[in-house]
Amino acid sequence: MDKKKRVLFVASTGGHLTELLQLKDIFNNYEYYLVTERQKSNMYIKKDYKGKSTLLLYGTKDHMLTYPFILFVNIFICLFVYLKFHPDYVVTTGAHVGGVMALISKIFGSKIIYIETFANITNKTITGKLVYKFADHFIVQWKSMLDLYENAEYGGWIF
């Protein structure tokens, strides 16, 4: 019997997490783990994915005094989660923690599948610009985004 692939699903809170959770029907096809940020709106993650999730500190670039410190702490938490789970693949819809985990995972040899957010039809995201350079599969949800990311794959909407 084939061993299940280990897949780490990662997204920042809000719309990125909502998009990622559209894939939840395939989670059980893998040995999976979910990483997102702690927010009141997604505390259900701890219960629904008990033992299969980590909630990181929430930070936003709108608070530039605290954001660098929160990001710094989250980098170490992401490194710990990665080393503990050691996934074969990382699937992320971005932003903040998605980029951090993608970079850590690439350094340690995991394959990266990045799904550019549905919210962008004509512009690249900051995380997308960074991860595009090293992602193994870069998927866009709008055909118009193929003009911006020439080596991307059109995957259609995940909604």
Side-chain angles (χ1 to χ4, degrees), residues 90-154:
V90 172
V91 177
T92 182
T93 53
H96 312 279
V97 300
V100 168
M101 191 61 89
L103 182 57
I104 289 170
S105 301
K106 190 65 175 183
I107 289 168
F108 285 99
S110 296
K111 300 289 185 191
I112 309 301
I113 300 169
Y114 184 85
I115 304 170
E116 182 67 295
T117 182
F118 178 79
N120 283 37
I121 300 171
T122 58
N123 298 313
K124 295 179 178 181
T125 61
I126 294 170
T127 308
K129 286 184 220 179
L130 297 171
V131 176
Y132 179 72
K133 296 172 184 170
F134 61 85
D136 296 285
H137 295 282
F138 193 95
I139 301 167
V140 294
Q141 298 183 62
W142 294 97
K143 286 185 179 178
S144 60
M145 295 299 284
L146 292 171
D147 294 333
L148 300 175
Y149 297 110
E150 61 186 40
N151 295 319
E153 302 166 42
Y154 172 67

Side-chain angles (χ1 to χ4, degrees), residues 60-92:
T60 175
K61 293 179 287 184
D62 294 338
H63 298 100
M64 285 310 289
L65 288 177
T66 56
Y67 182 69
F69 298 103
I70 290 170
L71 183 61
F72 184 74
V73 170
N74 281 343
I75 289 169
F76 283 99
I77 297 171
C78 284
L79 181 61
F80 175 78
V81 168
Y82 180 87
L83 293 173
K84 183 177 177 186
F85 186 68
H86 200 66
D88 299 301
Y89 295 90
V90 172
V91 177
T92 182

